[in-house]
Amino acid sequence: MSYAIAVLLSGSGSNLQALIDAQHEGNLGHTQICLVVSDQAEAYGLQRALVHQIPSAYLPLRHTRQREQRRAMRAAWEQRLATLVQTFTPDLVILAGFMRILSPLFLEQFPERVINQHPALLPDDGGASYTTSSGLCIPTLRGAHVVSDALAQQLPVTGCTIHRVTPRVDDGPVLARTEVPILPHDNVETLHERIKLEERRMIVEVVNQLSQW
Ligand code: GRF
């Protein structure tokens, strides 16, 4: 029986590509990528899905200035997204660079089945600090700018985490984590690329682990 994964993304989709490559190389067991969804029309990840004939969809979140309307539009968008994803009955939903926060409205429809890639180190206890393998205590970085935050805070080390998604942003049970040293001449691009190298390896490992349970 195959294990179906849906991938939600907003950008380049190099992690999606890592999964596609692993599948083609026979390193993803019986896992099939059943769906790719992006909230951004120009996300290169959509092109990757098209090239490999993976069902894909662009589901934009429209903006409005009116607060009440905004809430209703967002809820409607999340429900549309959930309905679309449900159609493909995935065993796992991967947020692979998906730049939207999903509320319980979505999460409750996929209990224990949504995981997120975060390009920084998240602790097991959901706290404000993380203790590295060498015993150094560094602040937990959450949010959309954690690679630049790691540089701005002059941390010697950062990394990446894959965790189950809960309603608390960038929190939830950790499935995998890797530390990445920050080098003296790193900028956001060089550091993020080194982090992504680890993320691509980890996502394949985590999918293989989860699919075998
Ligand atoms: C990754 O660094 C992931 O942790 C973050 O967005 C990036 C996605 O990269 N949430 P890509 O689109 O898979 O290349």
Side-chain angles (χ1 to χ4, degrees), residues 90-113:
D91 298 291
L92 186 69
V93 179
I94 303 176
L95 310 183
F98 189 59
M99 303 307 282
R100 300 281 176 193
I101 293 166
L102 294 171
S103 77
L105 173 72
F106 182 94
L107 298 176
E108 283 168 7
Q109 299 182 55
F110 302 93
E112 302 279 308
R113 274 188 288 157

Side-chain angles (χ1 to χ4, degrees), residues 7 9-18 44-45 48 95-99 116-120 143-144 146-147 159-162 170 192-193 195-196 199-200:
V7 178
L9 52 79
S10 302
S12 102
S14 68
N15 282 281
L16 167 68
Q17 190 66 52
Y44 189 61
R48 298 184 197 266
L95 310 183
F98 189 59
M99 303 307 282
N116 180 49
Q117 294 185 284
H118 183 69
V146 291
V147 179
C160 46
T161 308
I162 297 178
D170 296 334
H192 200 175
E193 197 43 49
I195 291 171
K196 285 212 231 177
E199 291 190 292
R200 292 175 201 133

Side-chain angles (χ1 to χ4, degrees), residues 1 7 51 155 161:
M1 216 174 72
V7 178
V51 166
L155 301 181
T161 308

